[in-house]
Amino acid sequence: MASIAALLTALLRRRQNLHMVTGSAWQAPLEMAVFSTAIGWCGLVWGEQGLVGAQLPEGDAARTRARLSRRFGHAAEAPPSVAVQAVIDAIIRLTSGEKADLAFAALDLQAVPAFNRQVYALARAIPPGETRTYGEIAADLGDRNLARAVGRALGENPIPIVIPCHRVLGAGARIGGFSANDGAATKARLLAIEGARTSAAPSLFDDAATFSIAPSTRRP
């Protein structure tokens, strides 16, 4: 009996985690919209309290819809509200080369773990063009040894670019990971747009297939 109870508990926890990923943790209806930017097709998902998800970038609208549908299966495509359209316009400006600040966007992070919410609040406080490190964010949380946990939380960021996890780097200005499509290449492009100094400096319009992190300075 004890083993059965343990199995049921594990399955329940797994189901709760799955809900957090797919968006079914939100009881209110969710809506989504896709839109074209200079770096590809992006998308937003929102509810009554604010944005709950973002997808960026994909090669076409269909792939963006598909990814959002996998994450938020019950979200219905709809015209953006005035508030959501303002975020879309800001993302379009940012990916076109302007230093648009998305700090005004309302977010609904009710399904996000408390630790992650703390990390995201610190990331949102980083202005365009500036960066911080995982260690610095961890120190602000009270323990630099939390740097890996900070990295994991940023890797789970459900609303990339609006929660600007791309502005958080590894030690020595290393790019680190990024939850959006094309990973580090997209992260480096966004940082290049904002004029941030990193160990990689691609152009916004560089081909992602040929992009690579800055070459090693080690002599042969």
Side-chain angles (χ1 to χ4, degrees):
M1 292 295 292
S3 60
I4 294 176
L7 177 60
L8 290 174
T9 300
L11 289 173
L12 178 60
R13 288 176 179 171
R14 182 175 179 181
R15 183 179 179 184
Q16 290 172 339
N17 290 337
L18 179 62
H19 283 184
M20 192 172 295
V21 172
T22 62
S24 59
W26 287 272
Q27 300 302 316
L30 296 180
E31 297 178 319
M32 70 176 179
V34 300
F35 52 96
S36 179
T37 75
I39 61 173
W41 282 85
C42 301
L44 293 177
V45 176
W46 66 93
E48 294 178 352
Q49 303 302 315
L51 299 176
V52 301
Q55 180 64 46
L56 67 144
E58 292 289 343
D60 55 54
R63 277 187 283 182
T64 299
R65 288 190 189 94
R67 283 186 179 270
L68 288 174
S69 294
R70 284 196 292 272
R71 294 173 58 196
F72 304 93
H74 63 291
E77 195 160 1
S81 64
V82 173
V84 173
Q85 187 62 54
V87 179
I88 291 173
D89 292 342
I91 292 174
I92 291 172
R93 292 197 307 273
L94 174 60
T95 55
S96 296
E98 297 183 28
K99 284 188 177 182
D101 194 342
L102 295 162
F104 69 90
L107 309 183
D108 180 356
L109 298 175
Q110 62 177 296
V112 173
F115 178 81
N116 290 33
R117 290 198 297 270
Q118 291 180 296
V119 173
Y120 300 159
L122 292 170
R124 294 196 82 192
I126 306 171
E130 298 185 21
T131 62
R132 301 194 71 194
T133 67
Y134 301 113
E136 288 171 341
I137 298 292
D140 282 355
L141 294 171
D143 186 351
R144 290 190 71 92
N145 291 325
L146 292 172
R148 287 185 180 275
V150 168
R152 284 194 297 271
L154 292 172
E156 296 166 0
N157 177 10
I159 320 175
I161 201 169
V162 181
I163 298 173
C165 54
H166 61 281
R167 296 176 190 155
V168 185
L169 307 175
R174 296 193 311 275
I175 286 292
F178 191 43
S179 58
N181 193 30
D182 279 341
T186 296
K187 181 174 183 175
R189 290 180 181 187
L190 291 171
L191 290 170
I193 290 169
E194 296 176 351
R197 295 179 62 85
T198 72
S199 60
S203 163
L204 168 62
F205 301 105
D206 282 346
D207 183 356
T210 61
F211 168 76
S212 60
I213 300 299
S216 170
T217 56
R218 184 183 300 173
R219 295 180 181 275

